[in-house]
Amino acid sequence: MSDTSKTPLSYRDAGVDIEAGERLVEAIGPLAKATARAGVMGGLGGFGALFDLKASGYEDPVLVSGTDGVGTKLMLAFETGIHNTVGIDLVAMCVNDLIVQGAEPLFFLDYFATGKLENGVAERVIAGIADGCKQAGCALIGGETAEMPGMYAAGDYDLAGFCVGAVERGEQLTGERVAPGHILLGVASSGVHSNGYSLVRRLAEDKGWKLDRPALFDRDRLLIDALIEPTRIYVKSLLPIVRDGLVDAMAHITGGGLLENIPRVLPADAHAEVDADGWDQPGLMAFLQAQGNIEPAEMARTFNCGVGMVLAVEPAHAEVVRSRLEDAGETVLAVGRIDAGDKGCTVRGSAGTWAAHEDWSATHNA
């Protein structure tokens, strides 16, 4: 009988492949380099990433930071093998939170964790992150790849992102300028974005959706393609009008939907009145509502309902903002207005809006 107690062990025997990690760093080097912008110092591989704020053109900057993940939308990637878009979602969830405060995203770092590193999958995910960074105009300057045997099921991984941006002191958006009479404009979403997927996946399981079949609401598109569509990145279309002082507040419509996100950018004496009759609910949203018999109020606090961003603007600026956003390729929606009242949001709709319900309203006070 052999004595295995003296058999030499390696990290690879424990399930961690250091060489695979090194190969991944080599593979993603060109992806990160392609996102370089003014201010980037050095490349990947150091203990920390360097960024020169002065070289990026700011005189008296205020730093704005944000971190986020993709949530259970990742489960769709695991189930379908579509890994090239969730990285865009990761970047979008962070940079869209920065732009609503008037900040330009400068650099991004990611965290990719898995049980066993599969470079083909990791490379596709990180390629998506690099794509998102290019869309946002920020640099991918670092990150962490963690291989942790036993922590994740085979084929599973998790993602987190961290972004830092800057805005000149005194130019940040705080919502303080919002007042009764302001107009609320919406910028259309590209789909579900990255919130509400626990409910989406529950519906898919309960209703037995065939993800590889044409969608009932769009026969020219597979259902999975509509569900996994990456979150739209709004930085390049919104930053110019923010810098020109045309917007007084913006809300990124993420978890909590319209009801809970709009009040986050309002002063104490402002109440958002959202008219759901002001825009057509996208086919995907109507499909989700019908499949789950979801009440309109629940839709308004769970999904973005076709609105990825909400902008509060003075009436005199509304048409200029609309025109410039449309010229930038965005679809602009009439969302509502700001009235005097307690800080909060009310979403109303008439019968037939957001499925066949009676006249309805839902209110959230912050």
Side-chain angles (χ1 to χ4, degrees):
M1 183 175 180
S2 62
D3 183 4
T4 59
S5 63
K6 295 183 179 180
T7 302
L9 291 176
S10 68
Y11 215 4
R12 184 190 292 271
D13 294 325
V16 179
D17 189 343
I18 295 176
E19 287 79 12
E22 292 173 344
R23 290 193 297 270
L24 177 61
V25 172
E26 291 178 2
I28 66 178
L31 298 174
K33 187 176 182 180
T35 69
R37 54 156 294 153
V40 173
M41 301 174 65
L44 300 180
F47 286 98
L50 303 178
F51 191 90
D52 183 350
L53 266 176
K54 186 175 182 180
S56 66
Y58 287 88
E59 296 180 2
D60 186 16
V62 173
L63 295 181
V64 183
S65 63
T67 185
D68 212 331
V70 180
T72 59
K73 188 174 186 177
L74 289 178
M75 299 295 289
L76 290 180
F78 305 158
E79 294 163 5
T80 62
I82 301 173
H83 301 284
N84 59 312
T85 59
V86 290
I88 300 174
D89 286 297
L90 183 68
V91 175
M93 295 302 290
C94 295
V95 300
N96 286 343
D97 279 352
L98 265 58
I99 186 63
V100 300
Q101 294 173 91
E104 175 191 16
L106 298 176
F107 58 86
F108 189 90
L109 298 95
D110 70 278
Y111 175 77
F112 179 98
T114 188
K116 179 176 175 54
L117 191 60
E118 300 177 23
N119 279 0
V121 171
E123 286 178 33
R124 279 182 281 166
V125 172
I126 296 172
I129 293 172
D131 186 1
C133 286
K134 285 189 284 187
Q135 291 183 39
C138 66
L140 176 59
I141 63 172
E144 167 70 2
T145 302
E147 191 174 23
M148 298 184 288
M151 285 286 289
Y152 298 91
D156 288 1
Y157 56 82
D158 199 9
L159 289 176
F162 179 81
C163 192
V164 172
V167 57
E168 292 289 1
R169 190 178 305 275
E171 296 181 7
Q172 59 266 35
L173 291 182
T174 63
E176 294 177 352
R177 300 198 304 263
V178 176
H182 270 65
I183 302 297
L184 295 177
L185 296 178
V187 187
S189 66
S190 55
V192 182
H193 283 185
S194 294
N195 296 100
Y197 276 91
S198 294
L199 180 52
V200 170
R201 293 176 53 252
R202 171 67 183 272
L203 287 173
E205 181 179 352
D206 288 352
K207 302 297 181 180
W209 292 349
K210 304 297 183 184
L211 299 181
D212 60 349
R213 303 282 180 83
L216 294 177
F217 51 88
D218 185 350
R219 305 303 296 183
D220 294 326
R221 196 177 195 198
L222 298 182
L223 179 56
I224 183 57
D225 291 337
L227 292 176
I228 210 165
E229 178 78 15
T231 306
R232 190 164 181 82
I233 293 174
Y234 299 99
V235 173
K236 290 185 178 179
S237 58
L238 290 178
L239 191 58
I241 62 173
V242 169
R243 286 177 165 169
D244 286 345
L246 296 173
V247 179
D248 291 324
M250 290 192 289
H252 182 199
I253 308 305
T254 56
L258 294 161
L259 272 176
E260 296 183 11
N261 282 293
I262 297 176
R264 295 170 66 182
V265 299
L266 299 181
D269 58 351
H271 192 92
E273 295 286 346
V274 174
D275 181 4
D277 296 338
W279 73 96
D280 293 329
Q281 186 178 194
L284 172 57
M285 294 294 165
F287 170 75
L288 294 173
Q289 184 177 14
Q291 289 281 294
N293 193 31
I294 304 170
E295 293 291 333
E298 184 67 16
M299 289 291 294
R301 65 165 47 90
T302 302
F303 297 112
N304 63 55
C305 300
V307 184
M309 285 280 184
V310 171
L311 285 58
V313 302
E314 293 183 9
H317 296 155
E319 286 309 311
V320 174
V321 169
R322 176 186 292 275
S323 176
R324 289 183 58 172
L325 286 174
E326 289 176 345
D327 288 345
E330 303 290 358
T331 298
V332 183
L333 311 170
V335 167
R337 67 186 188 280
I338 298 294
D339 284 346
D342 293 335
K343 179 179 180 179
C345 178
T346 297
V347 183
R348 291 189 173 87
S350 61
T353 300
W354 294 7
H357 292 266
E358 300 297 326
D359 289 10
W360 62 275
S361 69
T363 298
H364 170 80
N365 287 321

